[in-house]
Amino acid sequence: MSDTLGELFADEVVTHAHVRDVALPYGAGTLALITLDNGHDHTKPNTFGPNGLAELDTAIDTVAGRDDIAAVGVTGKPFIFAVGADLKGVPLVRRREDAAAIGRLGHDVFRRLGELDVPSFAYYNGAAMGGGVEIGLHCTYRTISAGVPAFALPETFLGLVPGWGGTYLLPNLIGAEKALTVVIDNPLAQNRMLKGRQAFELGIADAIFDSADFLEESLAWTARVLNDEITVRRPEVDRGKAWDDAVAMARWNVDGKLHGAAPSYTRALDLIGAAKDRTRDEGFAAEDEALADLIMSDELRAGLYAFDLTQKRAKRPAGAPDPSLARPVTKVGVVGAGLMASQLALLFARRLEVPVVLTDLDQERLDKGVGHAHGEVDKLLGKGRISPDKANRLKALISGSLTKDAFADADFVIEAVFEEMSVKQKVFAEVEEYVSADCVLATNTSSLSVGEMASQLKHPERVVGFHFFNPVAVLPLLEVVRGERTGDAALATAFATGKALKKSCVLVKDAPAFVVNRVLLRLLAEIVRTVDEGTPIEVAERAAAPLGLPMPPFVLMGLVGPAIALHVNETLHAAFPDRFPLSDNLAKMVAAGKGGVYLPDFSLDPEVVEIFAGGTSPSTEEQVLDRALAALADEIRIMLDEGVVAAPEDIDLCMILGAGWPFHLGGITPYLDRSGVAEKVTGRRFLEPGVAARPA
């Protein structure tokens, strides 16, 4: 290991490699078992930094020359195998040779497990990601615990590639198509993880055992393999057309979703595509080169910044009050029984496991709302995600009432009614007549003023914004809005409740449309303005492609609904008329009952095209993108100056978790910084140089 790497990773939490001899059953001999353990509990997982790799190398030295052992095994500490490379030092890397050295060091150490004079066994006893998966791929055999909660190669999601053998060994073990599911498809699907059984069914592990006696069963299986009682047979990998077709299909999928905006996916595809014809040395050398290039890229630094936001900042919301001020929530009320209300009811019941009662104006609506929530419980049961007992308990927790006196003993009541101020004020006034003085009243409004909503109540300090994103069960962001008179106790209760709901909470000032909708509407308003001016819809739609968003702007409008987009735009226009102009054409489109600009076959609706016709100043794709980015930079600077959130990091966190803004961009502010738009439009960067970008 070079001195430079040691300096870059000076803060490494070293994963030690402890070696002990284990007498195998059935007279199979002695196994030298290497246990990976950084000395902390499962909340600080094992990772591989330069010093940890050096310790593993030394451990392998101690077993490599022994003629008294029958095999070598590798396992982890309780609940954790290993979760990959220690990335803390990567943002500090300034030289490509240091980046390349990181790749070579991992290869040089891990590959030794596959080059011993005796068979090697990986025992995946707990969570395994990245390098944790790859160390096992170098071994001769693998077992996995059925209790493994997370198994993944998430590197492309962060802006890297599986660079310690993953892109070569995995496709040559299970075939290109299955390997691409792990390396490409799952990271693209919001970094989806495999469970232990799924990894086994893919063929990554040769055997699976229950977690209770996992190591004991794995050692017994090892003995039977060594005694030739078990012969491990793996399906033959198709190295012909099927391999090429799988790579081509994955490339088409990546291009369609990211439009070339995330180089890590392309590099991983190239590596897997070439792995069928390369030797192991050639495959590993190609991974070293790819890692060196990507570690020196801005995309990786942005990805690591985004990862840090979602793993650390999201867990410690800036500006949140003292958690000790939070009050317990033992019953929840939901005003309304529409789709959003029923989603909220199910979420509260599942996560808090407390009674949830919905109210609405008539029995038919109420029955429909409660029925929808119960139906979603049945779906969870059908998918095997909950037990029959749990399903029955959840259904029993969710009920309905035509009168609001059912809220008398509720600690937390959330409204999900029509998005109109007078309606929401009336609802809260009615609820306040029944609830206790310290019951928190929460609004799921997407754009209206929380302070104005509370202004006519006896206890306005109890009202807090609690803005979810649709679908409620999927999107992790929760904008917690502090009104002008919101008290600390209500706010603390809101944050504690959001955490219990397993949402990532961001404190937001009571400003029009809060964060996500305000940013998205500024982007959409500028793009719609170019269409009003005469830019063809398809040109404006393509203009945002370099951002790599989950969906183009007009597809997003169709998902949200043009009527809702218009309503939020009207709210913002009332507050900021110069920056959020009203589109007469959008209003005409809503009046015509159009659900979007596309027909069901995704061709443009000619009637919508006609509605937007008539502009005489069309823009090019490049001009549309420039205008959109300038508008975003302008709006975000204004939001920060207004104190809508504490820092640019909170804007990025909101856009990543609430709008699916790409990880590889690090959110929006790093992109605006790197592209120079931030300085051009606002006179300065949003983040310090070197944050979410290469050090100067």
Side-chain angles (χ1 to χ4, degrees):
M1 182 183 75
S2 71
D3 292 338
T4 303
L5 287 186
E7 293 169 5
L8 292 172
F9 291 83
D11 294 332
E12 175 185 352
V13 177
V14 178
T15 294
H16 306 289
H18 305 291
V19 183
R20 64 185 174 97
D21 287 356
V22 176
L24 293 170
Y26 315 128
T30 299
L31 175 133
L33 182 64
I34 300 172
T35 301
L36 305 171
D37 191 345
N38 61 9
H40 296 267
D41 67 17
H42 66 280
T43 61
K44 191 178 284 290
N46 297 327
T47 55
F48 296 110
N51 293 297
L53 288 170
E55 282 214 17
L56 178 59
D57 198 37
T58 299
I60 297 173
D61 280 342
T62 66
V63 302
R66 293 177 58 181
D67 56 10
D68 61 335
I69 56 174
V72 172
V74 181
T75 193
K77 65 183 182 181
F79 309 109
I80 300 290
F81 185 75
V83 298
D86 181 339
L87 298 174
K88 289 194 294 292
V90 169
L92 305 176
V93 175
R94 285 180 163 83
R95 302 188 308 165
R96 191 180 187 279
E97 53 263 41
D98 293 328
I102 293 171
R104 285 196 299 272
L105 180 60
H107 278 130
D108 290 347
V109 175
F110 284 2
R111 70 182 299 163
R112 296 184 67 194
L113 290 166
E115 296 170 350
L116 297 168
D117 294 333
V118 294
S120 53
F121 293 77
Y123 305 130
Y124 291 122
N125 65 300
M129 300 175 211
V133 170
E134 288 171 303
I135 187 175
L137 296 177
H138 285 267
C139 293
T140 320
Y141 304 100
R142 288 157 293 282
T143 67
I144 193 165
S145 166
V148 168
F151 188 98
L153 289 173
E155 286 86 349
T156 49
F157 184 70
L158 295 175
L160 287 169
V161 295
W164 286 343
T167 66
Y168 181 81
L169 296 173
L170 188 61
N172 280 298
L173 174 68
I174 63 174
E177 183 177 2
K178 291 180 179 178
L180 288 163
T181 296
V182 181
V183 176
I184 301 292
D185 296 346
N186 286 354
L188 271 178
Q190 291 299 306
N191 205 22
R192 182 167 53 211
M193 301 281 155
L194 298 170
K195 303 292 187 184
R197 183 159 294 281
Q198 292 171 307
F200 169 69
E201 289 170 352
L202 281 172
I204 299 173
D206 301 304
I208 184 168
F209 302 108
D210 288 338
S211 55
D213 53 359
F214 170 71
L215 186 57
E216 181 182 356
E217 289 293 329
S218 291
L219 293 173
W221 182 85
T222 296
R224 295 176 68 192
V225 169
L226 294 174
N227 288 343
D228 295 325
E229 295 176 36
I230 292 177
T231 301
V232 174
R233 292 184 172 86
R234 299 170 182 146
E236 185 176 349
V237 172
D238 188 330
R239 302 179 191 283
K241 185 172 182 295
W243 189 300
D244 297 331
D245 288 348
V247 173
M249 178 57 71
R251 199 179 298 277
W252 178 84
N253 186 35
V254 166
D255 289 344
K257 289 186 175 181
L258 300 176
H259 310 285
S264 60
Y265 289 92
T266 302
R267 290 301 289 267
L269 282 166
D270 292 343
L271 289 166
I272 291 175
K276 72 169 187 172
D277 298 318
R278 282 176 168 158
T279 65
R280 187 169 62 157
D281 287 347
E282 290 169 342
F284 290 178
E287 286 182 343
D288 290 340
E289 291 300 304
L291 270 186
D293 290 342
L294 291 169
I295 286 174
M296 299 308 295
S297 71
D298 283 329
E299 286 79 8
L300 171 63
R301 314 305 171 102
L304 294 177
Y305 164 82
F307 186 75
D308 192 63
L309 290 182
T310 57
Q311 296 301 307
K312 294 180 181 177
R313 193 175 185 90
K315 292 176 173 58
R316 294 187 293 274
D322 187 338
S324 67
L325 298 174
R327 300 180 182 125
V329 174
T330 60
K331 182 178 179 179
V332 173
V334 181
V335 185
L339 180 60
M340 175 60 80
S342 60
Q343 289 185 67
L344 293 175
L346 178 59
L347 178 68
F348 278 94
R350 282 192 74 191
R351 300 302 186 206
L352 302 188
E353 297 185 339
V354 300
V356 180
V357 59
L358 297 92
T359 64
D360 213 315
L361 298 175
D362 58 62
Q363 194 67 46
E364 183 180 354
R365 294 182 192 180
L366 198 58
D367 290 345
K368 185 176 180 181
V370 174
H372 184 272
H374 286 186
E376 292 300 306
V377 172
D378 289 334
K379 288 180 183 178
L380 293 171
L381 176 62
K383 294 176 182 177
R385 294 175 61 183
I386 57 175
S387 67
D389 283 347
K390 182 64 177 283
N392 290 333
R393 287 199 303 273
L394 286 175
K395 287 182 180 180
L397 288 173
I398 302 171
S399 63
S401 171
L402 286 175
T403 58
K404 295 183 176 63
D405 56 3
F407 296 156
D409 55 346
D411 307 295
F412 193 98
V413 176
I414 183 167
E415 66 77 20
V417 298
F418 186 67
E419 190 77 348
E420 186 174 302
M421 182 60 72
S422 61
V423 175
K424 292 181 184 289
Q425 286 178 328
K426 182 174 182 291
V427 160
F428 273 160
E430 292 171 354
V431 171
E432 194 174 39
E433 293 300 315
Y434 294 97
V435 297
S436 63
D438 55 3
C439 175
V440 173
L441 302 185
T443 170
N444 186 43
T445 182
S446 60
S447 61
L448 300 178
S449 168
V450 174
E452 185 179 350
M453 209 175 295
S455 62
Q456 299 174 16
L457 296 179
K458 300 169 190 170
H459 295 283
E461 73 280 357
R462 68 162 88 220
V463 180
V464 63
F466 215 57
H467 182 218
F468 291 89
F469 292 82
N470 213 354
V472 169
V474 176
L475 290 176
L477 179 66
L478 183 58
E479 290 179 336
V480 179
V481 186
R482 181 168 204 158
E484 185 179 351
R485 298 172 67 181
T486 302
D488 283 348
L491 198 63
T493 303
F495 273 100
T497 303
K499 183 177 181 181
L501 294 173
K502 299 188 177 179
K503 298 298 182 184
S504 296
C505 301
V506 175
L507 179 62
V508 181
K509 182 181 177 182
D510 188 11
F514 315 127
V515 176
V516 173
N517 284 339
R518 183 163 165 182
V519 172
L520 287 179
L521 260 295
R522 185 72 196 271
L523 171 68
L524 190 59
E526 193 63 37
I527 289 175
V528 169
R529 190 192 303 202
T530 68
V531 177
D532 286 338
E533 293 169 354
T535 304
I537 292 173
E538 61 271 25
V539 172
E541 189 82 298
R542 289 196 303 267
L547 292 174
L549 296 174
M551 59 189 73
F554 285 102
V555 175
L556 175 63
M557 181 196 286
L559 180 68
V560 171
I564 294 175
L566 177 63
H567 175 76
V568 177
N569 197 50
E570 287 170 344
T571 301
L572 286 162
H573 174 76
F576 315 116
D578 294 340
R579 304 199 305 277
F580 292 88
L582 293 178
S583 168
D584 291 338
N585 291 330
L586 178 58
K588 291 176 186 175
M589 177 179 155
V590 172
K594 296 295 182 181
V597 304
Y598 295 106
L599 295 172
D601 64 357
F602 279 95
S603 63
L604 284 171
D605 184 334
E607 294 180 12
V608 174
V609 173
E610 182 61 30
I611 288 172
F612 278 95
T616 58
S617 303
S619 297
T620 64
E621 285 184 35
E622 292 76 14
Q623 289 169 331
V624 174
L625 179 61
D626 287 346
R627 286 175 57 174
L629 292 177
L632 286 171
D634 178 55
E635 196 62 35
I636 291 168
R637 176 59 65 198
I638 291 169
M639 291 168 69
L640 292 170
D641 290 344
E642 291 176 351
V644 175
V645 289
E649 288 86 347
D650 294 312
I651 299 276
D652 294 322
L653 185 59
C654 284
M655 299 313 294
I656 291 166
L657 297 181
W661 212 275
F663 244 67
H664 62 266
L665 296 183
I668 180 59
T669 69
Y671 183 89
L672 295 171
D673 283 345
R674 288 196 308 273
S675 62
V677 174
E679 287 189 78
K680 179 181 177 182
V681 174
T682 74
R684 63 192 192 277
R685 297 170 61 95
F686 290 107
L687 302 167
E688 292 297 318
V691 176
R694 284 172 294 173

